[in-house]
Structures are given as structure tokens and as C-alpha cells.
């Protein structure tokens, strides 16, 4: 959850996103940043898990892997693993590297894969990336300013942006492999998605997409 979101607002956002996911029969995976749990995100995380969604590890402080030693990366992963034990349990252990930066070289990527593998995790990639988080920041600014018209315009632009990025990566996969592939969509737990995820998921359904778990 963004730092400008209060615990009560966070719970409300998770509830809205849970409703949208349930409406479309989707089981999602949420990747938690460990440092947020003691402060304010624990009830929101529990709400997401109680709705049947999977919790994954997203590091302790969301650093760029390229700035860390292997030992520091291992400490980030292990610390968050310990904090998430109650939610992960015996289920699948899924990890997502912050900023999707898995290493500048094959050797660096192999080192990261080894670290997450030591704790039984599998790194989860993204195939439909987007800048939805930036639209959320602008959306919050508009709401804070009481500018409902601007908020509607930003929400419309966000929907168009994700649709365009989806088409881009769908075309890219077809070009690379000569066929459709199963995609992984990246979205964030934020106010923009709390307010408009149902509309976005309805668009995917209308386009013939179906959702599966990671």
C-alpha cells in the first residue's frame, strides 16, 4: 500500500479489490513488502488472504537488486520470509524481485534465482508491465484537490494505458513465439484499482481473456 494511504483506507481498498476479483472469479497473488507489515498493512494482508488469494514475498525494503550484494539480497528475502510465514504456510512460495530488475548479467540472475530457491521460492516474472502506479499518484492528487473531473480523466487514461500495454505485450509474444502465451499482469494494491478494477476486468472479459492462477 502507498505511504499516503491510511490503514483504514488500505482496508477499504483491499475490500473493493477483493470484490472485483470475486465478481470475475479471479484468484490473484499479492506480493508483500516486509517492512510495511509492522506499520500498517497486516490487517489488509490478512483480508486479502482471507479472500482466498495467495501471498508472495517482495523483499523487505523494495531495493534494486542491482545495488545489493548477494548476501544483502539473501537477508532481504529471508527477513520477509520470516515475517510472512503465517500467510505463506505450506502453500507455493512465490517471489517477485523489486522493479523487475533480475540482474544485469546471466550470472547475476542465476545468483538471485539461487537465493530465492534456497528458501523454496520461485521467482514470478511479469509479461504485461505498465505504469499504472504513476496514474494512481496523479489520481490521488486529483482526489485530494477535490477535482472530480480530473480524477475521471485520469481513470479513463489509466484504463486506456493498460489496454494498450496489454495489446503491445500480446503482439510481442506472438512475434517472438508465433503463438499466444499465458500472460502475467502486474497491478498494484491502490486507490485507482480499488475504484476501477472491475471496469478493467470487464474489458478483459469482453476481449476474450480468462484468468488463471500463477
Amino acid at each position: 500500500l502507498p505511504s499516503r494511504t491510511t490503514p483504514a483506507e488500505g482496508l477499504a481498498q483491499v475490500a473493493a479489490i477483493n470484490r472485483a476479483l470475486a465478481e470475475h472469479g479471479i484468484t490473484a497473488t499479492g506480493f508483500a513488502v516486509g517492512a510495511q507489515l509492522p506499520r500498517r498493512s497486516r490487517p489488509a494482508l490478512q483480508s486479502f488472504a482471507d479472500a482466498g488469494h495467495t501471498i508472495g514475498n517482495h523483499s523487505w525494503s523494495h531495493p534494486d537488486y542491482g545495488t545489493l550484494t548477494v548476501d544483502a539480497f539473501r537477508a532481504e528475502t529471508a527477513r520477509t520470509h520470516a515475517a510472512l510465514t503465517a500467510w505463506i504456510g505450506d502453500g507455493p512460495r512465490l517471489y517477485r524481485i523489486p522493479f523487475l530488475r533480475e540482474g544485469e548479467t546471466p550470472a547475476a540472475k542465476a545468483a538471485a534465482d539461487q537465493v530465492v530457491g534456497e528458501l523454496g521460492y520461485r521467482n514470478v516474472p511479469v509479461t504485461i508491465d505498465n505504469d499504472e502506479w504513476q496514474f494512481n499518484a496523479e489520481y490521488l492528487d486529483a482526489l485530494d484537490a477535490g477535482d472530480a473531473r480530473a480524477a475521471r480523466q485520469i481513470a479513463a487514461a489509466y484504463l486506456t494505458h493498460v489496454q494498450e500495454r496489454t495489446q503491445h505485450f500480446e503482439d510481442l509474444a506472438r512475434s517472438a513465439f508465433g503463438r499466444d502465451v499465458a500472460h502475467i499482469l502486474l497491478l498494484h494494491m491502490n486507490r485507482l484499482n480499488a475504484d476501477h478494477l472491475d471496469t478493467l476486468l470487464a474489458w478483459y472479459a469482453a476481449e476474450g481473456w480468462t484468468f488463471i492462477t500463477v
Side-chain angles (χ1 to χ4, degrees), residues 1-11 13-14 17 33 36 39-41 44 132-138 140 188-194:
L1 297 172
S3 59
R4 62 196 287 185
T5 303
T6 68
E9 289 170 340
L11 274 174
Q13 290 174 20
V14 172
I17 287 174
V33 176
Q36 293 185 353
R39 290 186 290 137
R40 56 198 173 82
S41 295
E132 149 265 348
W133 58 272
Q134 185 170 336
F135 285 84
N136 180 68
E138 297 170 357
L140 290 176
H188 290 83
M189 186 69 73
N190 57 36
R191 175 66 184 273
L192 184 59
N193 282 312

Side-chain angles (χ1 to χ4, degrees), residues 10-87:
L11 274 174
Q13 290 174 20
V14 172
I17 287 174
N18 283 344
R19 287 193 297 271
L21 293 172
E23 178 68 22
H24 294 272
I26 296 171
T27 299
T29 298
F31 293 90
V33 176
Q36 293 185 353
L37 295 180
R39 290 186 290 137
R40 56 198 173 82
S41 295
R42 189 175 295 268
L45 188 67
Q46 188 63 55
S47 174
F48 190 72
D50 287 345
H53 304 298
T54 302
I55 304 300
N57 185 327
H58 196 37
S59 81
W60 183 259
S61 61
H62 206 272
D64 184 337
Y65 169 54
T67 69
L68 302 177
T69 65
V70 172
D71 286 342
F73 179 68
R74 180 180 289 108
E76 283 268 338
T77 306
R79 188 177 181 185
T80 307
H81 172 71
L84 293 176
T85 298
W87 291 280

Side-chain angles (χ1 to χ4, degrees), residues 85-138:
T85 298
W87 291 280
I88 293 177
D90 296 326
R93 294 182 179 180
L94 304 175
Y95 185 86
R96 173 158 291 154
I97 291 184
F99 306 108
L100 305 179
R101 291 178 57 82
E102 300 180 356
E104 297 297 327
T105 66
K109 184 180 186 305
D113 289 341
Q114 180 176 342
V115 168
V116 299
E118 289 171 1
L119 289 171
Y121 284 93
R122 179 178 180 180
N123 183 47
V124 177
V126 167
T127 67
I128 301 177
D129 194 11
N130 57 79
D131 294 321
E132 149 265 348
W133 58 272
Q134 185 170 336
F135 285 84
N136 180 68
E138 297 170 357

Side-chain angles (χ1 to χ4, degrees), residues 132-199:
E132 149 265 348
W133 58 272
Q134 185 170 336
F135 285 84
N136 180 68
E138 297 170 357
Y139 185 69
L140 290 176
D141 288 341
L143 293 177
D144 288 345
D147 192 339
R149 182 171 179 271
R152 288 194 298 271
Q153 291 175 335
I154 294 165
Y158 141 81
L159 292 168
T160 298
H161 169 72
V162 177
Q163 292 164 8
E164 290 176 344
R165 297 304 286 169
T166 298
Q167 186 64 60
H168 167 76
F169 286 111
E170 186 178 27
D171 291 344
L172 188 64
R174 288 170 175 168
S175 175
F177 300 108
R179 58 179 174 83
D180 286 322
V181 302
H183 286 274
I184 299 177
L185 171 67
L186 171 64
L187 295 173
H188 290 83
M189 186 69 73
N190 57 36
R191 175 66 184 273
L192 184 59
N193 282 312
D195 291 350
H196 302 285
L197 181 60
D198 181 68
T199 301

